[in-house]
Amino acid sequence: MKYLFKNQLWALALITLLFSCENDTEERPLGKYDTGILLMNEGAFGANDGEVFHFDPVSGTLTQNVFELENNRPFASLLEDLVLEEDRLYLVANTGKVEIVNPGDFKSRGAVVADLDQPRSLVTARGKVFISDYGPYDASFNTPDSYVAVVSGLDGGAVKKKIEVSSKPEDLFAFGKYVFVAGREESKIEIIDAELETVVKTLEVSGNPVQFFEQRGDLWVYAYDAENVYFQSFHLDNLTKKNFLQLDIVNATSRVAFGEDDRIYILTSSGWPDYNDGIAVTSIFDTTLIPSWKTGTGFYGIGYDQDRQELYVSNSKGFQGNGEVTVYSKDGSEVKTMEVGRGPSGILVR
């Protein structure tokens, strides 16, 4: 699963600062899921048993099957992403739906349940939801009809429009009226005008771009191939490429996490049949590389709690039953290991 924090860049922080003193409404009290760690379990293909667990690092309490617990019905899909946007938590299922819940209590507030094929992630902009979707497979299992679906309301509803993009779109990032789309298979960044609902610019990048992130005031995209990883930043005033960095990290995957001090943790895997997995650590500002911070087998997801300076690494256990999540301190020592659901792949730190 992709890195799950959806940063709003400095613009959101500035807007909040400017207007907070003028807002006389009381802040809502924190709900029981507004703090702690959300652990996303994809579920197994065919069983469609994806679910979310909640872990409280203070008390050590692990709450299972949060969606079903709070809504009295199973999630009943394969989970692809968890996205926190505009006081809503979006549960993206690659089996063709998006469930929307209140982040504090996980109660359902809406859904998109039709006209989607294989959604991957989403972002909100201009009061709309933009959902990246692989589209249907053709006879050769390619995805030539990938798109970004547009939904008019933040609480779900019907798909209003499908914007054609390059094959296998992954992460999205909203800035102003623009939505950046990471086109994994064709190494493209496509930029959508959220008001016009059309692609207005396409940028070629190196590797397979999968994850946007913000560091030191710039928007970057993480990309990789079999031999290297690539980091590309962008000028947001004129939508052009800015800085570029290539690092020699072999067998990188799409799974990354961002720690304090600009550290970037990257899962690596040799793949079938050996599955020699590891975690490499680097930075785009200090390219000193730790190629094997941790090694193992079955690494599947990764996330970082910056407040506690702890790294969460999930292990799929080959999808043979439940997986597990191990928590490491910044120095690499093990803090805790816990059994979770099937195919744990995502960690969202609240």
Side-chain angles (χ1 to χ4, degrees):
M1 173 181 163
K2 300 172 291 299
Y3 172 64
L4 287 169
F5 301 150
K6 302 295 180 181
N7 294 294
Q8 300 301 311
L9 279 179
W10 62 91
L12 179 58
L14 179 60
I15 291 171
T16 302
L17 177 64
L18 291 175
F19 289 96
S20 59
C21 61
E22 298 179 12
N23 188 354
D24 294 327
T25 60
E26 294 184 2
E27 294 184 5
R28 66 172 177 83
L30 288 175
K32 56 184 172 180
Y33 306 116
D34 276 324
T35 59
I37 313 295
L38 294 178
L39 306 173
M40 190 190 85
N41 305 287
E42 285 183 6
F45 181 76
N48 286 3
D49 55 351
E51 251 293 358
V52 179
F53 286 15
H54 176 264
F55 175 62
D56 182 346
V58 177
S59 67
T61 302
L62 180 67
T63 304
Q64 301 181 12
N65 303 327
V66 173
F67 183 90
E68 182 172 10
L69 176 67
E70 301 297 345
N71 294 285
N72 298 313
R73 60 182 173 91
F75 183 70
S77 280
L78 299 178
L79 261 171
E80 181 63 37
D81 204 356
L82 294 178
V83 182
L84 184 62
E85 292 272 324
E86 303 197 45
D87 202 29
R88 294 162 174 83
L89 184 64
Y90 294 85
L91 285 68
V92 182
N94 65 12
T95 38
K97 72 172 182 176
V98 175
E99 294 270 7
I100 306 160
V101 302
N102 295 315
D105 60 16
F106 248 75
K107 300 296 185 184
S108 176
R109 59 187 298 162
V112 183
V113 296
D115 295 324
L116 295 174
D117 292 282
Q118 301 181 77
R120 303 291 293 179
S121 191
L122 61 78
V123 75
T124 61
R126 293 297 197 259
K128 308 171 188 176
V129 181
F130 292 80
I131 306 168
S132 57
D133 197 306
Y134 278 8
Y137 285 119
D138 64 14
S140 301
F141 292 98
N142 296 315
T143 55
D145 298 318
S146 296
Y147 56 87
V148 171
V150 184
V151 177
S152 293
L154 299 183
D155 289 327
V159 173
K160 171 187 177 184
K161 182 177 182 179
K162 294 182 178 180
I163 305 170
E164 181 180 346
V165 294
S166 59
S167 182
K168 293 185 173 55
E170 296 285 355
D171 196 28
L172 305 103
F173 193 96
F175 180 81
K177 71 171 185 174
Y178 296 109
V179 173
F180 288 71
V181 184
R184 177 177 186 160
E185 191 162 86
E186 298 179 43
S187 303
K188 294 178 179 179
I189 302 299
E190 287 150 304
I191 304 173
I192 293 172
D193 185 311
E195 295 173 349
L196 299 176
E197 298 175 4
T198 187
V199 175
V200 295
K201 192 161 192 176
T202 300
L203 303 173
E204 304 283 344
V205 294
S206 299
N208 306 119
V210 290
Q211 181 64 58
F212 293 107
F213 64 99
E214 182 269 335
Q215 281 191 354
R216 299 193 187 183
D218 280 332
L219 173 63
W220 293 81
V221 69
Y222 162 75
Y224 69 99
D225 59 25
E227 301 297 330
N228 301 284
V229 301
Y230 310 90
F231 297 97
Q232 176 71 63
S233 67
F234 305 93
H235 293 285
L236 294 176
D237 54 349
N238 59 8
L239 307 181
T240 58
K241 293 190 290 187
K242 188 177 180 181
N243 295 319
F244 173 76
L245 178 65
Q246 175 179 325
L247 297 176
D248 180 19
I249 300 178
V250 298
N251 297 327
T253 72
S254 62
R255 322 290 194 178
V256 293
F258 301 88
E260 80 291 336
D261 302 326
D262 302 316
R263 288 160 66 95
I264 302 175
Y265 297 82
I266 302 171
L267 283 191
T268 64
S269 179
S270 63
W272 187 88
D274 300 319
Y275 288 105
N276 295 317
D277 300 336
I279 301 171
V281 185
T282 189
S283 167
I284 53 179
F285 303 108
D286 174 8
T287 56
T288 301
L289 177 65
I290 306 173
S292 297
W293 187 79
K294 285 289 177 185
T295 59
T297 300
F299 292 170
Y300 199 55
I302 191 168
Y304 197 88
D305 182 347
Q306 296 203 17
D307 289 339
R308 300 175 69 88
Q309 296 188 358
E310 292 178 337
L311 184 73
Y312 286 69
V313 181
S314 69
N315 193 310
S316 69
K317 296 293 184 179
F319 283 83
Q320 302 302 306
N322 290 334
E324 66 181 23
V325 170
T326 300
V327 185
Y328 296 98
S329 64
K330 183 179 178 180
D331 64 9
S333 58
E334 183 176 325
V335 176
K336 180 182 181 67
T337 294
M338 50 191 154
E339 182 177 311
V340 291
R342 191 86 66 89
S345 61
I347 294 93
L348 177 58
V349 181
R350 298 300 318 277

